[in-house]
Amino acid sequence: MTALDPAIYDTGKRPVWCPGCGNYGVLLALRKALAELELKPENVVIVTGIGCHGRISDYMKTNGFHTIHGRVLPLATGIKLANPNLTVIGHSGDGDAYAIGLGHLPHAARRNIDIKLIVHNNMVFGLTTGQVTPTTPLGVKTKSTPFGNPEHPLNPLLLALASGATFVARGFSGEVDHLKELIKRAILHKGFAFIDVLQPCVTFFNTYSILREKVYKLEETGHDVKSLEQAFRRAMETERIPIGVFYEVERPTLEEAFSHAMNPPPALRPLSPPDLTRLLSRFR
């Protein structure tokens, strides 16, 4: 396979993220993954939610849709059902995906629709200057928890696994090439693919040093991605932080199960002029 030039996905706009922001690593990994898979920009749709991550659709020369807070998955689902030939990749922040948009994640996972969700998890609301989110660690002081976060954080991987996701992975924006491979594998996976990306917010919650110390790669440990039990066990680790594919299995997709009612899908139906006879008859 001959890779395309990642620059073909560059809109030329200069990112406004803070210097050192983890979003740069995700953007670079995404462009490289699409290029190595030789995906033409016109066949890719990037859907983004509200947050610093949402700017990524401005910097990707593909189809793009910047939607309202927490609604990345419903929009991505509609796009995929309308035109299954498209590669649909959703991007959310941890506040976007795990707070206001949390209700959509379990259902996208259990339906196994062939879309990909990449969550930029910096464990804080960066765009609004550093408030607590569902993944902020216990005890961390933020703008909205000046005495320390009193709530235990959500574990996104356990949620995705328990919801029936057929592809569950975790990446780190400081490991761009490793993240690129995860994104490629998620795109090639037939079904719903979920990647939680540890992506430090250098301004309000800089976790680079601790992540570099704790992160290790699952593929170097003999981890069995077909074992749900092993996936759950790895997802609960806290002393060290595994990155890589936790779980991957095959199951029929929502598009296949729904094909009797959506054949051909709306975007692939032949265009024909509307019949206005009845409407015009009212004016005769």
Side-chain angles (χ1 to χ4, degrees):
M1 180 179 290
T2 303
L4 300 175
D5 183 352
I8 69 169
Y9 307 103
D10 187 352
T11 59
K13 292 183 180 177
R14 184 175 180 178
V16 296
W17 295 318
C18 302
C21 174
N23 279 315
Y24 289 101
V26 181
L27 175 63
L28 184 58
L30 175 65
R31 285 178 181 168
K32 285 185 170 184
L34 296 181
E36 292 187 13
L37 292 176
E38 296 187 277
L39 291 175
K40 295 180 179 177
E42 61 267 31
N43 294 330
V44 177
V45 185
I46 303 294
V47 183
T48 55
I50 300 300
C52 294
H53 80 277
R55 291 280 189 175
I56 203 169
S57 53
D58 290 343
Y59 311 138
M60 289 294 297
K61 192 185 281 185
T62 60
N63 300 291
F65 201 122
H66 192 183
T67 186
I68 58 175
H69 212 347
R71 297 298 178 265
V72 168
L73 285 173
L75 187 66
T77 297
I79 293 169
K80 187 65 180 180
L81 287 177
N83 189 349
N85 294 336
L86 296 172
T87 297
V88 183
I89 305 172
H91 287 259
S92 280
D94 47 298
D96 191 59
Y98 304 142
I100 192 169
L102 181 63
H104 301 296
L105 177 56
H107 302 294
R110 71 183 177 84
R111 289 169 181 151
N112 197 36
I113 184 165
D114 189 18
I115 58 178
K116 322 302 164 189
L117 178 65
I118 299 173
V119 180
H120 302 223
N121 185 0
N122 57 19
M123 308 176 205
V124 74
F125 277 107
L127 184 67
T128 50
T129 69
Q131 293 82 12
V132 70
T133 73
T135 53
T136 306
L138 185 70
V140 168
K141 293 181 179 179
T142 71
K143 285 281 184 69
S144 57
T145 55
F147 302 107
N149 179 21
E151 301 175 343
H152 285 270
L154 178 78
N155 186 321
L157 299 181
L158 290 181
L159 177 65
L161 290 167
S163 300
T166 54
F167 183 99
V168 177
R170 177 193 281 147
F172 173 36
S173 62
E175 293 277 356
V176 173
D177 283 338
H178 182 265
L179 180 57
K180 174 202 68 178
E181 293 301 321
L182 291 182
I183 294 174
K184 284 171 60 180
R185 196 162 161 181
I187 291 173
L188 294 174
H189 175 76
K190 190 177 179 184
F192 180 69
F194 168 79
I195 307 177
D196 182 76
V197 182
L198 302 171
Q199 182 238 278
C201 173
V202 293
T203 302
F204 296 107
F205 191 37
N206 192 346
T207 53
Y208 266 119
S209 58
I210 192 167
L211 287 175
R212 289 197 186 283
E213 184 181 321
K214 286 193 167 190
V215 157
Y216 75 96
K217 295 170 183 167
L218 276 176
E219 56 270 28
E220 297 175 354
T221 66
H223 174 68
D224 179 7
V225 298
K226 304 293 182 189
S227 170
L228 185 59
E229 182 183 346
Q230 280 193 32
F232 272 110
R233 207 160 42 230
R234 295 287 189 180
M236 288 190 288
E237 291 185 17
T238 55
E239 290 302 313
R240 299 181 68 209
I241 303 174
I243 58 174
V245 177
F246 285 64
Y247 188 61
E248 183 177 13
V249 292
E250 293 182 5
R251 207 176 70 215
T253 65
L254 178 67
E255 303 92 290
E256 293 169 335
F258 206 51
S259 60
H260 62 285
M262 297 279 281
N263 190 16
L268 303 182
R269 293 171 188 168
L271 294 176
S272 58
D275 183 2
L276 301 178
T277 307
R278 288 185 60 189
L279 176 64
L280 294 176
S281 66
R282 296 172 56 187
F283 302 98
R284 289 174 180 164

